[in-house]
Amino acid sequence: MTNTFRSTEESNIVDAQGVRQALRKRWLFILPAVFVTYSLAYLDRANYGFGAAAGMAKTLNISNSRSALLGALFFLGYFLFQIPGVAIARRKSARLLISLALVSWGVLASLTGLIGNFWLLAIVRLLLGVAESFILPAMLILLTSWFTRAERSRTNTLLILGNPVTVLWMSVATGYLIRAVGWQMTFVLEGIPSVLWGFVWLLVIRDRPDQAQWMTDTSCQYLNEQLHREQSLLPQVRSMGSALAHPSVLLLCVQYFFWSIGVYGFVLWLPSVIQVGAAKGIAITGLLSAVPYLFAILLMLAVGYFSDRSFRRKRFIWPCLVLSGLALFGSYGVAGQSFWWAYGFLIIAGSTMYAPYGPFFAIIPEMLPKNVAGEVTALVNSCGALGGFAGTWFVGLLQAHTGNSRAGFLLMSISLVISGLMILSLRGSSNDTLSTLPDDWRED
């Protein structure tokens, strides 16, 4: 009897070790591919700001207001197709949809550097937004099939980390690339990797754990049980229409709209602001533009980690957004007196506006079941796209009409403070008691 008991105990230990090893592989196989994909999406989205700073408007003989419209049209396309796209991803295949989007936006991004007609270029920018609109919601759906709530803030952080990491190296590389080959050829060269990666993605990624050869049957069963248990603890919602009646959904939509006004206005117009304020060449502008994103990377990792450890979301979001808005206001206040003081405030603002993305996108799947969480995430992200449209266009227009960046940064400052205060008022966003992974099996 004793030997049988020991044999069973040893077998359970071996099974637990095997499960831990298989679960650890998710972080090595899934997340690097997800990170690269979102990085490429952000590369082909954010390099427009460098094209504008390098004289796109002058080369194409268009006004500054038309240049601002070109930057903003991306977000209009980004807004229109998110919900239909995420419905396809949930019912068919997120993996396949993402691969098609990669190839499509790589081609469209390259065309941005080849087309000289304003209206054709406007159509390309709109379609680029459509192609990229599928990525974030489809990625989040994919991750909810592979990772539990105890890991969600970190996985979301590592996904969205592709944003500041890309802008970090892109700010340096694109500045030197534009100086070497011009902004038009830079767009062409930076679009090609997305096309190639679309085929690599198909080879590496699977929609569900049971489709991956490197996942054992035991680990798949364990993970599916944990995910099913999480779903059973959530309130059941029959349809998207019912989900819209949830009191927090509308608040999150409006909140993310204001947040995105600040983020995308900051990303697309920071190079132009630095170039004018510091009176440096495009290469040095790239180096200075990279610094806020370096600090953003470090802060995002810290916030994601501590949010998962504490199972708290809201307390890691609103302070960062309010501080970011206040820092932008500080930059607005001293911009006419000292560029370097204004730049220091921009570093604080840039790092804190990115920091809470991981816990923010963990809120929805912890609030709503999987049959509607993807569509609600797409709706919230669509409202963010409208905020990106508004932020990009209005900040660009204010800069064109006033001849400086101060009014635009005041707009972004107010928007970020509003978004932070709205998260502070959010109720029922995340239970602090739901934990699915045993302590000895949880990934640290």
Side-chain angles (χ1 to χ4, degrees), residues 49-50 52-54 262 264-282 284-286 288-289 292-293 328 331-332 334-336 338-347 391-392 395-400 402-410 412:
F50 281 89
Y264 287 109
F266 182 87
V267 169
L268 288 183
W269 297 110
L270 179 65
S272 296
V273 170
I274 290 178
Q275 187 180 39
V276 172
K280 304 293 183 181
I282 190 66
I284 301 301
T285 297
L288 293 175
S289 298
Y293 300 104
L328 280 179
S331 182
Y332 161 81
V334 301
S338 168
F339 167 77
W340 293 109
W341 270 104
Y343 178 65
F345 279 118
L346 290 182
I347 292 175
T392 305
V395 171
L397 284 178
L398 287 171
Q399 186 165 330
T402 63
N404 61 66
S405 60
R406 296 186 68 197
F409 276 79
L410 179 61
M412 291 186 285

Side-chain angles (χ1 to χ4, degrees), residues 153-204:
S153 182
R154 282 171 292 165
T155 57
N156 291 347
T157 295
L158 291 172
L159 161 64
I160 302 171
L161 202 63
N163 175 328
V165 169
T166 299
V167 180
L168 176 65
W169 68 259
M170 184 204 71
S171 297
V172 179
T174 300
Y176 284 99
L177 199 57
I178 287 175
R179 189 174 66 176
V181 300
W183 68 265
Q184 290 166 304
M185 184 55 65
T186 296
F187 277 123
V188 174
L189 294 176
E190 291 185 344
I192 293 174
S194 295
V195 178
L196 300 177
W197 183 252
F199 298 100
V200 176
W201 171 268
L202 275 181
L203 295 174
V204 174

